[in-house]
Amino acid sequence: MATNVPGTRVDEVVHEVPEVYGTPWEKAKEMPATLPFNWSNLWKVIGPGFIILSLSIGSGEWLMGPASVLQYGPFVLWIVTIGILTQAVFNMTCIRYTLYTGEPIMVGFTRLMPGPKLWAPIWIFISFISIGPGWASGSATALAAMFLRRMPQTADKPAVMTAGIILFLSVVIILMFGGKIEALLEKINKWIVAFIFGSLLILVIMFAPFSKWVEVAAGFFQFGKLPAGNVNWFLLAGLAGYAGAGGILNMGVTNWYRDKGYGMGAAVGYIPSLIGGKEVHVSSTGKIPPLNQTTLQRFKDWWRYSLVDQIGVWALGAFIGMFFCVLLAYAMVPGGTKIDGWAAAAHQAEGVGKVLGGFGWIWVLMIGFWVLYGSQLSNSETFVRQVTDVLWNTSPWAREKLSRNDIRRIYYGILLLFTIWSIWLFFQGSPLFLVAFMANAANLAFTVAGIQLLFLDRIYPQELKTPIWMKLVLVVLILFYGTFTVIGFGTQFFGLKF
């Protein structure tokens, strides 16, 4: 904590860094500066918010939200409201750590008692169960529908799975040739987000009556109202998990902030591509800036850009994306329809196609395809990047022996293992089930990470500590997602009844 001596200035304050597990942080000479905060510089600095928004406008919005609303009604959308609001605070609390140390938040979690020997395996396990090929599988249903010119059926399962595997492998190839991968994803996802939002806006204006707009909008504020009778709690718990981004996907934003050079991330390094990318030195530990007026001002500047990136781009975009996706489905698909099976991403297209014909059918299938394919691209990279950073920062053997101090060897080795794991998962269930399982795993990730964030706050000097109101929101997040963790997994796998 910071120790103030009467009569001293802030730039003379000594920051006593607490004892931590793992490699001690290095002491940096200063925090790198950003461009002055103004509107002309805004679009030059922000970017990670578009990556996380592209994966937010994914399975939660295109599959989980419509599936829940069509089955039960728009009143369940209050779950989304609490989810996105608490996740926004969660994201900013994670980003605080990366701005100050240059380390991704998951690496910070491994520093907590009793240390990385416990927390590194736990977070690698949670990461594995949180990410899979569900998005590629879902986008394959849209692609298959284009070629079949009809809704895929159970008999079309082999064709859908084959398309899904091909799409997933294309994601692997993109990541191999990506250059500085964060920059690649940022460029791709800005175009994907623009296409999705523009198309959805046009469609809901064309086809959704005003009464539907009001009914869906009101659902975001009907707090506490739950369906009665035979309820698929696994589905509703999945809606909570993917209301915004989803567990380790939210934490992945700190890896992108590090690679983009936010705060102390500029002093740490980034992960380059395997093919065509130069070898880049990535520090095995974070760097702590001195506590002085320069650090406080620069932290404030980085924090402002982060707020715009996360609140103005991600949180606002996640609300709008869920609203538009649900509204389109609610207006075009008959109530009571179960969005499941091997046509999960094609139901909205069927409804629009009945009005606009073949053009509308293809247009909406393209939206569904890009919604889910873009999510698969960002989510796959998020998983591999986080596991890579955990191994790089916590395991000298992995860093020095396995990779010979080239982080690309770890990154692309994990990518290979992830590819094998994902292809196996393709054969384990329908697209919606795979997505629902990963969404429920996100609930577990939020619960554990929320608790750890409260303890990690001890590393900051007093001037940079997390405000009390943000800590209270984290407590709400822990209770909210902890409850849905028990409900979702308990009802699906352990026979619990609610």
Side-chain angles (χ1 to χ4, degrees):
M1 57 184 294
T3 304
N4 286 302
V5 179
T8 62
R9 303 187 307 275
V10 174
D11 60 1
E12 294 175 340
V13 172
V14 178
H15 177 210
E16 298 174 356
V17 179
E19 181 180 352
V20 294
Y21 289 88
T23 307
W25 292 293
E26 296 178 7
K27 293 183 179 180
K29 293 183 179 180
E30 64 179 6
M31 175 176 284
T34 184
L35 295 173
F37 184 83
N38 55 54
W39 290 108
S40 62
N41 290 330
L42 192 62
W43 290 100
K44 300 176 184 177
V45 178
I46 66 172
F50 285 100
I51 302 176
I52 192 172
L53 178 59
S54 73
L55 58 88
S56 296
I57 310 300
S59 48
E61 283 69 10
W62 197 253
L63 298 180
M64 307 296 289
S68 300
V69 168
L70 289 173
Q71 195 164 340
Y72 302 113
F75 64 85
V76 299
L77 291 174
W78 67 268
I79 295 173
V80 174
T81 301
I82 295 180
I84 294 178
L85 291 179
T86 56
Q87 285 181 44
V89 173
F90 177 90
N91 290 1
M92 291 305 301
T93 311
C94 292
I95 291 167
R96 179 182 297 273
Y97 178 81
T98 300
L99 293 181
Y100 184 63
T101 69
E103 291 180 347
I105 190 62
M106 197 176 288
V107 174
F109 290 156
T110 67
R111 291 180 173 276
L112 295 174
M113 189 180 297
K117 289 185 178 180
L118 173 68
W119 290 115
I122 286 178
W123 277 112
I124 290 174
F125 170 76
I126 293 176
S127 298
F128 260 98
I129 66 173
S130 297
I131 301 294
W135 302 276
S137 183
S139 63
T141 69
L143 189 63
M146 291 184 207
F147 286 99
L148 294 171
R149 298 184 180 181
R150 59 173 171 79
M151 295 279 282
Q153 306 297 323
T154 302
D156 301 309
K157 175 181 175 180
V160 174
M161 292 182 64
T162 300
I165 291 173
I166 292 173
L167 290 172
F168 179 82
L169 292 177
S170 72
V171 166
V172 175
I173 293 172
I174 289 173
L175 295 180
M176 290 175 64
F177 284 88
K180 186 176 179 181
I181 300 169
E182 184 279 331
L184 168 75
L185 291 175
E186 187 178 312
K187 292 177 182 178
I188 292 175
N189 286 305
K190 283 181 178 179
W191 285 106
I192 290 177
V193 167
F195 168 71
I196 292 170
F197 273 83
S199 296
L200 287 173
L201 177 61
I202 294 171
L203 287 168
V204 294
I205 290 175
M206 290 176 62
F207 296 115
F210 182 72
S211 60
K212 297 286 187 181
W213 285 69
V214 174
E215 194 175 351
V216 172
F220 285 94
F221 303 99
Q222 294 179 268
F223 297 103
K225 188 175 181 179
L226 292 169
N230 186 19
V231 179
N232 184 348
W233 292 109
F234 194 59
L235 175 64
L236 288 182
L239 175 64
Y242 276 176
I248 70 160
L249 305 178
N250 293 70
M251 292 179 252
V253 75
T254 63
N255 299 71
W256 299 322
Y257 271 76
R258 187 275 309 275
D259 278 17
K260 192 171 177 66
Y262 268 59
M264 295 307 299
V268 174
Y270 63 87
I271 300 175
S273 67
L274 176 65
I275 301 173
K278 63 181 180 179
E279 182 176 347
V280 175
H281 173 72
V282 181
S283 176
S284 61
T285 187
K287 299 177 185 292
I288 297 288
L291 182 60
N292 52 39
Q293 291 287 7
T294 299
T295 293
L296 296 178
Q297 182 58 51
R298 290 181 177 179
F299 183 93
K300 183 178 180 180
D301 291 339
W302 285 115
W303 185 255
R304 285 177 174 177
Y305 281 119
S306 302
L307 280 174
V308 175
D309 192 58
Q310 290 300 300
I311 307 303
V313 174
W314 176 75
L316 181 60
F319 269 117
I320 296 173
M322 180 66 80
F323 177 70
F324 282 171
C325 288
V326 168
L327 179 59
L328 178 64
Y330 195 57
M332 303 305 298
V333 182
T337 300
K338 290 188 177 182
I339 296 182
D340 200 354
W342 299 96
H347 288 277
Q348 295 93 322
E350 185 181 43
V352 174
K354 291 178 180 178
V355 180
L356 294 182
F359 170 74
W361 167 257
I362 295 296
W363 184 13
V364 180
L365 284 176
M366 284 298 298
I367 297 173
F369 171 81
W370 280 112
V371 163
L372 296 168
Y373 184 77
S375 292
Q376 186 69 68
L377 176 63
S378 297
N379 295 342
S380 299
E381 204 280 330
T382 299
F383 163 78
V384 177
R385 177 180 297 261
Q386 290 189 93
V387 174
T388 297
D389 280 320
V390 168
L391 291 174
W392 181 262
N393 285 72
T394 64
S395 174
W397 176 83
R399 186 171 60 251
E400 298 168 8
K401 302 295 184 181
L402 182 63
S403 70
R404 288 176 284 181
N405 291 308
D406 186 349
I407 198 170
R408 293 177 298 177
R409 297 177 186 272
I410 297 179
Y411 181 95
Y412 292 99
I414 297 298
L415 182 60
L416 175 62
L417 293 176
F418 175 60
T419 302
I420 297 171
W421 161 254
S422 295
I423 291 175
W424 177 80
L425 282 179
F426 265 107
F427 298 90
Q428 305 310 307
S430 69
L432 187 64
F433 175 80
L434 290 175
V435 169
F437 181 87
M438 294 182 291
N440 277 269
N443 294 333
L444 174 63
F446 278 128
T447 305
V448 177
I451 295 171
Q452 289 191 296
L453 280 173
L454 294 176
F455 285 95
L456 200 59
D457 192 65
R458 70 191 180 95
I459 75 160
Y460 306 120
Q462 190 62 43
E463 292 82 355
L464 296 178
K465 284 189 177 297
T466 305
I468 293 296
W469 72 268
M470 294 183 72
K471 293 180 182 178
L472 292 176
V473 174
L474 287 179
V475 172
V476 173
L477 175 137
I478 294 165
L479 296 174
F480 180 74
Y481 283 106
T483 300
F484 275 112
T485 299
V486 174
I487 290 175
F489 283 128
T491 55
Q492 183 70 20
F493 299 110
F494 300 102
L496 296 183
K497 303 293 182 181
F498 292 93

